[in-house]
Each structure stands twice: as C-alpha cells, then as structure tokens.
Amino acid sequence: MMNSNSNYKITDADIKQINKRSLFAFQLGWNYERMQNSGYLYTILPQLRKMYGDGTPELKEMMKAHVQFFNTSPFFNTIVTGIDLAIEENEGIKGKESVNGLKVGLMGPFAAIGDSIFAALIPAVFGALAAAMAKEGNPTGLFIWVLANIAICVFRWKQLHFAYEKGVSLVTEMRDTLNALTDAATVLGVFMVGALVATMINVKFGWVPNIGGVSVNIQNDLDMIIPKLLPAAIVGFVYWLLGKKNMTSTKAILIVLVLCVVLGGLGVLTKA
C-alpha cells in the first residue's frame, strides 16, 4: 500500500495512460443518471491510487467526488482532467472543492463549444466534401475524412498535457486567478443552462379554454408576462423533484415523461 502523502507527480507514462483511456473508454460507462461520471473516474483512477494510496480514506473520498454528475464534450474532457490532476497533485484532498467547482463550471461551456465544433461543424464540412468526392468516383474524399478524424484525435491527445501544465501554474503561481476562473466558469455554466432551457425545451400550452364565449390563449398570456415561462417552470419542477429524498434523475425523467404523455394526450400541452 502506498503512502497517501507520497506527493506523487504525474509522469509522461501517466499522460499516455489517461489519453488512451479517454480515447477508447471515456463514454463506455455513460448512463442517464450521472452520464460520464464513471468514465471520468476510470480515466484517472490509476493516478488517484498513486496520489492517495490504495484503500486510503482520501482515495475513497476523492472517488466519491469523481462519480458525481459529469457531462461534457468528449473532445474537450481532458482539459478538465488536466487541470483537475494539477490541483490534486499540489493540494491533495484539500483541493476537492476547487476540483468540484472547476468540473461543474467548465463542463457546460466545453460541452457547447466542443460539440458544436467537433461533433457538428467539422463532420458536416468534411463529411459533405468527402461524400461529394466519393459520389464523383474520387477516392480522395475517403482520405480527407480519415485525416480529419486523425487530426481530431491528435488534438485530443495533446490537450491533456497542455491543460496539466497550465493547471500547475494556476495552482502554484496564480491561486487568485484560479479562484476567479472557477467563479467565472460557474457563472458561465449557469448562463449556458438558462440558454439551453429556452432553446431545448420546446413545449407550450395547447389548451385554449372558452370562457363566456371568449377564447383564452393561455400561452400568449404567459408570453406577455415572461417568454419561455413554461420551460422554466418545468426545470424548476425537476429541480424540486431532485431535492426530494430518494429521488434520482432517472425517476425524475420518468415522472416528467409520464406527465408529458398524459397532458399531451389531453391536449393541455403541445410541442412548440
């Protein structure tokens, strides 16, 4: 058993191991409740064992911290991992709150940026180019598509070491900057959630009651008060559910699904 106070330093072999696990296994444990949490822990578990020692209370505490909800773009996840390792390497268990704050604050913005560029823009551009060339019988399109994906993999491979090195400087030389980054990322994450609520929850009131011979359009009245009030109310309802004892995100999803099916069937709710 290793000493949990061994002050272990991340090596190039560790970087390679984390990158391999990230590229080939990061999303294998994806689940609807906590999404990429198990994949995140799996990628850095050998390094956590080296830092804290096998079977130590510190290791167990950090493992519990790392299996909380996590979801970001798989094209940017090792940036978060690199900063995380830099913090834990320098602060150990004392850095748990900083790590949690960074993960929560950075996963939302990185998800939006990474998915829009690497999961949507690049595949659309290079895929369309490759398909057009293949349609004309030109095999060059195949190589363009393969090279584009290799470039993405190289980018993912390089970013871990970069983030780790920057993380070390942030922790050891720029603690105030790190705190500011954490706060800013958290605020940005909140803004991202608000934007997603307004754009991704496409539901509105379809029920138009007739009162005294006058039709009352409930949705129009709500839009005059606060646009997208119903999606915000649904998010608030889910937040309230998750605060209840023994309530999990899976149960909350099922409750919302059943309510939407019933209310949609009755004509109360409809797709926006």
Side-chain angles (χ1 to χ4, degrees):
M1 179 180 293
M2 292 183 59
N3 189 332
S4 60
N5 297 316
S6 59
N7 295 321
Y8 182 81
K9 299 297 181 182
I10 300 299
T11 65
D12 289 340
D14 290 320
I15 296 292
K16 291 179 181 179
Q17 184 181 49
I18 294 168
N19 270 324
K20 289 178 181 178
R21 290 190 170 208
S22 176
L23 283 172
F24 299 110
F26 178 65
Q27 301 229 75
L28 292 183
W30 198 97
N31 60 89
Y32 280 105
E33 185 170 339
R34 298 186 183 183
M35 299 196 175
Q36 298 167 340
N37 66 325
S38 60
Y40 187 94
L41 175 60
Y42 174 75
T43 59
I44 62 172
L45 185 55
Q47 287 66 45
L48 294 180
R49 285 175 170 159
K50 293 174 182 177
M51 289 181 185
Y52 302 109
D54 283 328
T56 61
E58 292 86 355
L59 176 63
K60 294 177 181 178
E61 184 173 347
M62 291 308 298
M63 288 179 66
K64 288 180 181 179
H66 285 307
V67 292
Q68 299 305 311
F69 178 89
F70 185 80
N71 186 47
T72 193
S73 170
F75 303 99
F76 276 151
N77 68 289
T78 49
I79 294 182
V80 180
T81 303
I83 300 175
D84 170 9
L85 291 173
I87 294 173
E88 294 193 56
E89 180 185 87
N90 283 272
E91 298 188 4
I93 197 73
K94 295 179 182 179
K96 185 176 76 169
E97 294 303 320
S98 296
V99 170
N100 288 338
L102 277 170
K103 289 174 67 177
V104 171
L106 293 178
M107 65 180 180
F110 280 152
I113 297 171
D115 288 349
S116 61
I117 295 176
F118 295 102
L121 179 62
I122 291 180
V125 172
F126 286 94
L129 178 62
M133 296 181 73
K135 185 178 179 182
E136 298 297 324
N138 189 341
T140 306
L142 172 63
F143 297 104
I144 291 176
W145 178 248
V146 171
L147 288 174
N149 282 276
I150 291 175
I152 292 174
C153 290
V154 171
F155 170 78
R156 292 179 62 181
W157 189 275
K158 294 292 185 180
Q159 67 182 248
L160 174 62
H161 188 269
F162 170 80
Y164 168 71
E165 291 295 331
K166 289 297 181 181
V168 170
S169 66
L170 285 174
V171 173
T172 58
E173 302 172 9
M174 304 172 64
R175 292 181 182 273
D176 293 338
T177 304
L178 176 62
N179 292 332
L181 173 62
T182 302
D183 294 339
T186 302
V187 172
L188 181 58
V190 172
F191 275 104
M192 290 298 300
V193 170
L196 289 173
V197 169
T199 58
M200 300 300 293
I201 303 180
N202 297 317
V203 62
K204 66 178 183 179
F205 277 108
W207 181 44
V208 182
N210 191 298
I211 302 176
V214 178
S215 297
V216 179
N217 193 315
I218 298 176
Q219 186 60 53
N220 285 344
D221 293 340
L222 289 177
D223 288 339
M224 292 176 64
I225 301 172
I226 300 179
K228 300 293 184 177
L229 180 59
L230 181 57
I234 293 174
V235 173
F237 173 65
V238 174
Y239 183 81
W240 175 79
L241 284 177
L242 293 176
K244 306 294 288 184
K245 187 177 181 180
N246 297 325
M247 177 62 66
T248 65
S249 58
T250 302
K251 293 179 181 178
I253 290 172
L254 291 175
I255 291 173
V256 172
L257 181 62
V258 171
L259 287 175
C260 287
V261 170
V262 173
L263 294 177
L266 294 174
V268 177
L269 298 179
T270 185
K271 184 178 179 181

